[in-house]
Amino acid sequence: MNTILVIDDEIQIVEILEQFLSSEGFKVETAYNGREGLEKLDECHPDIILLDEKMPEVGGAAFRQGMQKLGKDIPVIVLTGSVGVGQKKDNNKQEYGYLLFKPVRLSDLKELILEILSQ
């Protein structure tokens, strides 16, 4: 069973994603900020990370830097409401992972997750 780590400071979004992904057969771990997410990397060994770009304290960019320092090479799907984070190109592939704009269509998220896992 593949594990997905969901990191978002909005409790409702975390709950929706956790419920949806669990119903699709994934094991889901959650964190409500980037710092908590970094702490969970070693204990849950995720196959994919869903990461909110804008969070207080440790946001998406700081989280990705922390991952690099820890030597973790895990696919990251960045969830953002800001178009300025990056432009869609190469099937949402970005220099730091994959990009989906909020609000996220759950069917698109599932499709992207399955695509990443098949690589």
Side-chain angles (χ1 to χ4, degrees):
M1 178 181 301
N2 294 105
T3 301
I4 299 175
L5 175 58
V6 177
I7 306 169
D8 198 309
D9 62 326
E10 294 182 53
I11 294 170
Q12 187 176 18
I13 289 177
V14 172
E15 289 173 350
I16 289 168
L17 292 173
E18 181 178 27
Q19 183 179 20
F20 171 73
L21 294 168
S22 293
S23 73
E24 293 295 326
F26 297 103
K27 179 179 177 189
V28 181
E29 296 287 336
T30 60
Y32 296 95
N33 60 61
R35 180 167 295 134
E36 186 181 339
L38 288 170
E39 292 170 1
K40 286 203 166 195
L41 286 179
D42 282 330
E43 56 186 75
C44 73
H45 308 287
D47 298 292
I48 294 178
I49 297 169
L50 298 183
L51 176 67
D52 182 20
E53 182 64 20
K54 293 192 178 191
M55 295 181 285
E57 294 182 42
V58 178
F63 175 86
R64 292 189 301 276
Q65 289 172 349
M67 262 183 57
Q68 274 187 322
K69 288 179 184 174
L70 294 172
K72 302 291 184 184
D73 186 22
I74 303 165
V76 175
I77 298 174
V78 175
L79 306 175
T80 183
S82 303
V83 176
V85 170
Q87 296 177 340
K88 288 176 113 176
K89 59 182 179 183
D90 299 331
N91 199 22
N92 298 327
K93 179 85 169 131
Q94 300 295 308
E95 69 275 7
Y96 50 78
Y98 299 82
L99 179 67
L100 287 178
F101 293 99
K102 290 181 178 178
V104 174
R105 284 186 23 208
L106 296 176
S107 60
D108 290 345
L109 177 61
K110 178 184 173 187
E111 185 178 311
L112 182 55
I113 289 170
L114 293 175
E115 181 182 320
I116 293 167
L117 291 173
S118 71
Q119 295 177 1

